[in-house]
């Protein structure tokens, strides 16, 4: 999920960022001043409100359009999914579907649904709503841009009765029953024509909340806003949550957000850095952690933007970056260990491939002779071998002798992590004779720049789904102009992608997925820089019963599913958290919490141990606005 990361993402969950050491120093200086007021819990006669500080707004409340992590989190509160994921290891668990089965040939999947679900306006939620949602995606309109990969090979979704949904497939789909698709109400969406999907806001209007079936309903907020208010859904079929309202408050940077937590103005903050986590772990009434993130950050290149209708080149990308040999050589110019130590303050491990370490089955590991190492001399030799020799001025030229020019390295302005990474990259490029400049822009602007092909390289990241299909899909030729951001296209890769989609023999599919990762690694449309952690903190003197996902070592919020939102309670009423053994306890100091921070994770082996079996947050992605997708 988890969200192109930032965002997406997370990305990440598309929406998570870190602050710099300078910003942290300012934070520390303020936070150590005595006498800062700590907010008090709401009075007994006031609604119980959980206020969450985030660093990204919702780019769209329309589940067929948005891509930011914050948007995905809000969809989870608003809508149910057919299948959800366990807090323990993210394995599929029943939600609207209580059970499911498939035919021997894999061409028919039958989901048996609950008869208790209703929409927030009181109407029953039936298999007809699920079939309606899926068929809008299967039809291949704008709804398919985000969700189409999950329904690959599905020709029809059929409601055979109010509680039975049948999926008919032309070929097996190896990712089923993974279906992290928000189910929308047919009686609302049938009035939204396909041509209007991209512009449909799906926001509260005239005092009426958005109609959904989830535990909360949105009563206030709009895309790009600073505040989003959700009230408990009185018709929620799984039982009422223990808080009356959830409020998301958007901050421009982590420092004022952390100060708001200390002052009691917010109850939970997401996306803080490792130094801020460490400081908060020593404060009364606050619990903080670095949760393991199923995501990666990368430097992405413009491998050749084209008009997807004509195939003609578009944009102004540097031609050197269209050469896989050139890009691959740059992999040896990046010191990923330094990025972890200096940019992420040690909270993570160096990156390599597009499937994070948590995927012990799906992940391909480059052998020692294949793996990138920080070796500027080797990078230079590979560039020489590929024809990019140094000129008299010490700068490398194109194979024809013309200047390469200055590479434009784009950092996301809302993410100091992004800026710091690209500043280091600029220095490392200079060491091998390549001139570069770093420019900074907002994620929303960068999205449009990418789609126009007017860039050379940028820094961003992805959350990876429990099944690798969607992450692999983003690298296919067909995603250019949509979810692809590097414009990568390799026909051999696409062939493997189609083969793994229908391969039901798990071992054979794993081998195909490994081949695809190796292909991307060697072609280097991305140079993966980091698998980082997510800093979180909350007022444990006010709330309790958050649960990590996965358990242990995972995050408390921005999960796959709404477990924490359903189980979080006021600290005074927490008791034993309904018998949940993995929930955070109420405390007056962070050290007394039932779930202390996981701390800084070092080494891929450590990550694998802590998150063994993790199959990653779902549906948390990155970017694209309603007008971006064609």
């Amino acid at each position: 999920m988890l969200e192109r990361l930032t965002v997406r993402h997370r990305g990440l969950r598309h929406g998570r960022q870190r602050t710099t050491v300078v910003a942290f120093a300012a934070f520390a200086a303020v936070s150590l001043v005595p006498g800062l007021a700590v907010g008090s819990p709401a009075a007994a006669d006031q609604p119980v409100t959980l206020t969450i500080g985030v660093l990204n707004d919702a780019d769209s409340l329309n589940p067929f359009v948005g891509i930011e992590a914050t948007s995905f989190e809000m969809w989870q509160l608003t809508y149910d999914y057919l299948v959800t994921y366990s807090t323990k290891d993210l394995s599929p668990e029943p939600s609207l579907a209580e059970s499911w089965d498939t035919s021997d040939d894999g061409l028919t999947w039958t989901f048996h649904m609950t008869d208790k679900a209703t929409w927030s306006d009181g109407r029953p939620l039936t298999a007809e709503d699920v079939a309606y949602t899926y068929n809008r995606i299967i039809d291949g309109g704008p709804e398919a841009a985000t969700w189409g990969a999950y329904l690959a090979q599905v020709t029809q979704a059929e409601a055979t009765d109010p509680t039975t949904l049948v999926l008919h497939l032309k070929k097996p789909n190896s990712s089923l029953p993974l279906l992290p698709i928000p189910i929308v109400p047919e009686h609302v969406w049938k009035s939204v024509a396909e041509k209007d999907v991209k512009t449909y806001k799906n926001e509260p209007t005239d005092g009426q909340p958005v109609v959904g079936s989830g535990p909360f309903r949105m009563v206030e907020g709009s895309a790009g806003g600073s505040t989003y208010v959700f009230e408990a859904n009185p018709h929620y079929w799984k039982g009422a949550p223990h808080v009356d309202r959830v409020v998301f408050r958007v901050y421009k940077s982590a420092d004022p957000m952390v100060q708001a937590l200390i002052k009691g103005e917010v109850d939970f903050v997401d996306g803080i850095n490792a130094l801020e986590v460490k400081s908060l772990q020593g404060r009364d009434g606050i619990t903080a952690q670095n949760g393991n993130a199923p995501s990666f950050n990368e430097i992405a290149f413009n491998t050749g933007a084209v008009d997807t209708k004509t195939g003609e080149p578009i944009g102004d990308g540097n031609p050197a970056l269209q050469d896989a040999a050139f890009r691959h050589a740059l992999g040896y110019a990046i010191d990923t260990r330094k990025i972890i130590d200096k940019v992420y303050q040690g909270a993570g491990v160096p990156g390599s491939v597009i499937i994070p370490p948590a995927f012990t089955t799906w992940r391909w590991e480059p052998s020692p002779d294949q793996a990138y190492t920080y070796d500027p001399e080797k990078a230079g030799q590979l560039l020489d071998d590929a024809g990019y020799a140094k000129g008299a001025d010490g700068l490398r030229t194109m194979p024809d002798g013309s200047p390469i020019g200055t590479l434009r390295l784009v950092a996301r302005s809302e993410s100091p992590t992004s800026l710091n990474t690209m500043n280091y990259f600029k220095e490392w490029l200079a060491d091998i004779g390549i001139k570069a400049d770093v420019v900074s822009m907002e994620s929303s602007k960068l999205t449009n720049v990418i789609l126009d092909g007017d860039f050379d390289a940028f820094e961003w990241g992805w959350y990876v789904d429990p099944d690798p299909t969607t992450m692999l899909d983003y690298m296919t030729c067909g995603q250019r102009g949509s979810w692809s951001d590097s414009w990568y296209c390799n026909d051999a890769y696409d062939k493997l992608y189609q083969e793994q989609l229908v391969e039901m023999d798990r071992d054979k599919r794993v081998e195909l997925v490994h081949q695809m990762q190796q292909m991307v690694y060697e072609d280097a449309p991305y140079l993966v820089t980091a698998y980082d952690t997510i800093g979180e903190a909350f007022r444990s003197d006010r709330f309790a019963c958050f649960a990590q996902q996965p358990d242990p070592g995972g995050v408390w919020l921005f999960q796959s599913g709404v477990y924490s939102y359903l189980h979080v309670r006021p600290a005074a009423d927490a008791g034993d958290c309904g018998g949940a053994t993995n929930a955070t306890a109420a405390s007056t100091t962070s050290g007394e919490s039932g779930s202390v921070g996981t701390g800084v994770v070092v080494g891929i082996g450590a990550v694998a141990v802590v998150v063994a079996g993790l199959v990653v947050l779902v549906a948390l992605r990155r970017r694209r606005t309603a007008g971006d997708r064609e």
Side-chain angles (χ1 to χ4, degrees):
M1 275 104 43
L2 306 105
E3 153 221 319
R4 187 70 168 172
L5 210 138
T6 19
V7 181
R8 103 208 58 119
H9 62 150
R10 178 77 356 244
L12 292 141
R13 251 131 306 336
H14 307 107
R16 303 178 181 275
Q17 301 145 5
R18 299 179 180 274
T19 53
T20 62
V21 176
V22 173
F24 171 75
F27 149 72
V30 175
S31 65
L32 293 175
V33 175
L36 283 178
V38 175
S40 302
D45 59 344
Q46 296 295 316
V48 176
T49 301
L50 173 68
T51 302
I52 302 167
V54 295
L55 294 171
N56 284 81
D57 55 37
D59 62 317
S60 177
L61 301 171
N62 178 341
F64 296 120
V65 173
I67 56 83
E68 295 280 353
T70 309
S71 300
F72 279 79
E73 192 78 346
M74 293 179 185
W75 301 338
Q76 290 193 127
L77 294 183
T78 305
Y79 301 106
D80 276 303
Y81 297 69
L82 196 62
V83 178
T84 189
Y85 299 91
S86 74
T87 55
K88 178 65 179 176
D89 60 5
L90 288 99
S91 57
E93 280 192 349
S95 185
L96 288 174
E98 297 178 322
S99 63
W100 50 87
D101 49 74
T102 182
S103 60
D104 291 341
D105 61 6
L107 300 182
T108 304
W109 283 76
T110 304
F111 295 84
H112 309 281
M113 293 174 51
T114 180
D115 60 0
K116 298 180 178 63
T118 62
W119 296 106
S120 55
D121 59 6
R123 296 199 188 192
L125 188 163
T126 72
E128 289 286 355
D129 293 293
V130 184
Y132 174 79
T133 302
Y134 290 175
N135 285 326
R136 287 195 75 136
I137 297 165
I138 293 167
D139 286 346
E143 301 91 337
T146 300
W147 307 113
Y150 297 109
L151 293 169
Q153 312 304 332
V154 180
T155 58
Q156 182 190 14
E158 177 188 13
T160 57
D161 62 50
T163 60
T164 305
L165 176 81
V166 179
L167 298 183
H168 301 281
L169 288 73
K170 59 185 176 182
K171 294 181 180 179
N173 182 330
S174 59
S175 65
L176 289 174
L178 174 66
L179 286 167
I181 301 171
I183 305 304
V184 300
E186 180 178 8
H187 65 279
V188 173
W189 281 80
K190 66 182 180 182
S191 63
V192 183
E194 183 175 294
K195 65 180 178 63
D196 299 323
V197 167
K198 291 184 179 181
T199 56
Y200 183 59
K201 294 183 178 181
N202 198 42
E203 298 171 354
T205 55
D206 300 326
Q208 296 300 307
V210 175
V211 177
S213 64
F216 294 88
R217 54 185 186 176
M218 173 175 272
V219 296
E220 180 184 330
S222 60
S226 59
T227 304
Y228 304 83
V229 180
F230 290 78
E231 292 182 353
N233 176 5
H235 299 285
Y236 190 54
W237 59 284
K238 290 184 180 179
H242 301 279
V243 298
D244 302 309
R245 302 198 317 160
V246 173
V247 176
F248 292 88
R249 188 175 297 169
V250 182
Y251 290 84
K252 293 186 179 298
S253 65
D255 183 52
M257 185 173 71
V258 169
Q259 290 304 312
L261 180 75
I262 294 170
K263 295 175 183 177
E265 296 170 354
V266 299
D267 306 302
F268 191 105
V269 295
D270 175 80
I272 60 177
N273 71 25
L275 295 177
E276 289 160 334
V277 167
K278 183 176 181 179
S279 175
L280 289 171
Q281 283 175 334
R283 299 192 67 93
D284 288 354
I286 292 177
T287 297
Q289 73 160 0
N290 293 303
N292 292 303
S295 59
F296 66 84
N297 290 349
E298 91 280 350
I299 294 171
F301 300 114
N302 183 348
T303 66
V306 298
D307 184 308
T308 55
K309 295 179 180 178
T310 65
E312 293 298 315
I314 62 171
D316 60 2
N318 193 297
L321 291 170
Q322 296 179 27
D323 183 358
F326 181 88
R327 301 190 303 263
H328 187 81
L330 301 188
Y332 293 93
I334 295 177
D335 188 346
T336 55
R337 180 71 263 172
K338 189 170 187 177
I339 288 175
I340 294 298
D341 292 342
K342 300 297 185 180
V343 176
Y344 295 98
Q345 295 94 47
V349 295
S352 55
V353 300
I354 61 174
I355 302 298
F359 287 94
T360 54
T361 296
W362 301 116
R363 176 180 167 86
W364 171 76
E365 294 279 0
S367 64
D369 64 322
Q370 295 171 309
Y372 294 130
T373 56
Y374 178 53
D375 190 343
E377 289 188 9
K378 182 171 183 177
Q381 184 60 56
L382 290 173
L383 289 171
D384 288 342
D385 294 345
Y388 299 92
K390 285 186 177 180
D393 58 0
L395 297 177
R396 294 191 178 273
T397 64
M398 296 291 289
D400 65 2
S402 62
I404 289 178
T406 302
L407 299 184
R408 297 159 298 170
L409 312 181
V410 182
R412 292 168 289 116
S413 59
E414 67 272 25
S415 172
T417 295
S418 181
L419 181 60
N420 292 342
T421 296
M422 290 312 243
N423 280 333
Y424 276 121
F425 190 39
K426 174 184 176 179
E427 295 176 8
W428 294 326
L429 289 174
D431 291 342
I432 58 173
I434 298 173
K435 187 176 180 181
D437 284 336
V438 177
V439 297
S440 181
M441 66 180 67
E442 293 182 353
S443 297
S444 56
K445 180 180 179 182
L446 175 56
T447 293
N448 294 325
V449 167
I450 291 169
L451 288 169
D452 291 337
D454 294 331
F455 72 99
D456 294 329
F458 63 86
E459 190 279 342
W460 215 330
W462 289 102
Y463 270 80
V464 182
D465 284 348
D467 183 280
T469 295
T470 49
M471 189 63 245
L472 299 174
D473 182 37
Y474 301 153
M475 311 304 294
T476 60
C477 299
Q479 285 288 4
R480 292 178 299 173
S482 182
W483 283 92
S484 171
D485 51 15
S486 65
W487 296 91
Y488 177 67
C489 181
N490 183 323
D491 291 338
Y493 176 93
D494 282 14
K495 183 176 183 295
L496 292 174
Y497 175 78
Q498 293 300 325
E499 290 178 15
Q500 69 84 31
L501 269 181
V502 300
E503 180 55 70
M504 302 305 289
D505 183 304
R506 186 176 177 85
D507 291 341
K508 292 180 179 178
R509 186 182 178 218
V510 166
E511 177 56 30
L512 293 170
V513 171
H514 285 185
Q515 290 179 44
M516 295 171 70
Q517 289 173 78
Q518 181 176 357
M519 195 172 293
V520 170
Y521 187 78
E522 293 173 351
D523 285 352
Y526 285 175
L527 293 176
V528 178
T529 55
Y531 308 112
D532 71 340
T533 59
I534 298 300
E536 303 172 295
F538 70 96
R539 297 293 318 202
S540 47
D541 57 351
R542 301 173 66 167
F543 289 96
C545 306
F546 292 101
Q548 293 177 325
Q549 186 191 50
D551 176 36
V555 291
W556 288 318
L557 286 184
F558 286 80
Q559 303 173 333
S560 176
V562 292
Y563 184 93
S564 280
Y565 289 103
L566 285 177
H567 291 81
V568 65
R569 315 167 186 231
D573 304 327
D576 66 352
C577 294
T581 58
N582 63 337
T584 59
S587 69
T588 55
T589 66
S590 63
E592 297 174 5
S593 169
S595 176
V596 297
T598 60
V600 173
V601 180
V602 228
I604 286 183
V607 173
V609 171
V610 173
V611 293
L614 166 63
V615 279
V616 188
L617 298 179
V618 68
L620 297 173
R621 307 241 177 76
R622 180 169 72 185
R623 59 181 186 268
R624 304 290 190 289
T625 61
D628 287 331
R629 296 194 185 95
E630 294 300 331

